[in-house]
């Protein structure tokens, strides 16, 4: 999936994307590491936040996106939601650091 942040073009591959209803999406990412992320680490992780931006740019009406990491070795998962403000902060951070 291709998307942009500022003048920069990105391409990413989402492990699984579920469309659960009008404007509702779930981004899934599968990890094989032994150590799961905490909710705080997940909130600071850029990968799925970028996927959220990609879904918003590619699928029109998007009202609700949850981001879920599945930790396969230990059978646990962490789900987070980003606010508009958090995504805007990430966009600014990416543009200023590239």
């Amino acid at each position: 999936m291709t998307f942009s942040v500022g003048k920069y073009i990105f391409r990413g591959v989402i492990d699984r994307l579920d469309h659960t209803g009008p404007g509702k999406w779930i981004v899934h990412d599968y990890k094989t590491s032994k150590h799961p992320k905490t909710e705080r680490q997940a909130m600071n992780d850029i990968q799925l936040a970028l996927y959220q931006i990609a879904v918003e740019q590619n699928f029109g009406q998007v009202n609700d996106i949850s981001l879920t990491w599945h930790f396969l070795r230990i059978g646990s998962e962490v789900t987070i939601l980003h606010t508009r403000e958090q995504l805007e902060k990430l966009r600014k951070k990416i543009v200023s650091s590239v």
Side-chain angles (χ1 to χ4, degrees):
M1 181 176 307
T2 302
F3 62 100
S4 63
V5 176
K7 65 180 181 178
Y8 303 101
I9 305 296
F10 293 86
R11 184 174 184 283
V13 178
I14 296 173
D15 289 346
R16 186 173 116 208
L17 179 63
D18 292 341
H19 184 224
T20 60
K24 296 185 181 215
W25 299 86
I26 303 171
V27 174
H28 298 273
D29 193 62
Y30 296 93
K31 300 294 185 192
T32 58
S33 64
K34 292 180 183 178
H35 306 288
K37 292 182 184 297
T38 64
E39 188 172 325
R40 182 179 178 151
Q41 289 170 322
M43 286 300 291
N44 291 319
D45 188 283
I46 293 176
Q47 180 186 1
L48 266 60
L50 287 172
Y51 289 164
Q52 179 172 345
I53 292 169
V55 170
E56 290 175 348
Q57 288 182 17
N58 284 275
F59 293 102
Q61 183 65 26
V62 176
N63 300 323
D64 181 26
I65 300 177
S66 61
L67 310 170
T68 301
W69 284 264
H70 300 273
F71 299 96
L72 302 176
R73 281 189 170 183
I74 57 173
S76 71
E77 62 183 49
V78 173
T79 299
I80 62 160
L81 303 169
H82 283 297
T83 65
R84 293 273 144 241
E85 294 80 22
Q86 289 167 323
L87 289 178
E88 188 55 34
K89 185 176 177 181
L90 173 64
R91 283 182 180 97
K92 289 178 182 178
K93 181 178 179 181
I94 289 170
V95 169
S96 69
S97 67
V98 176

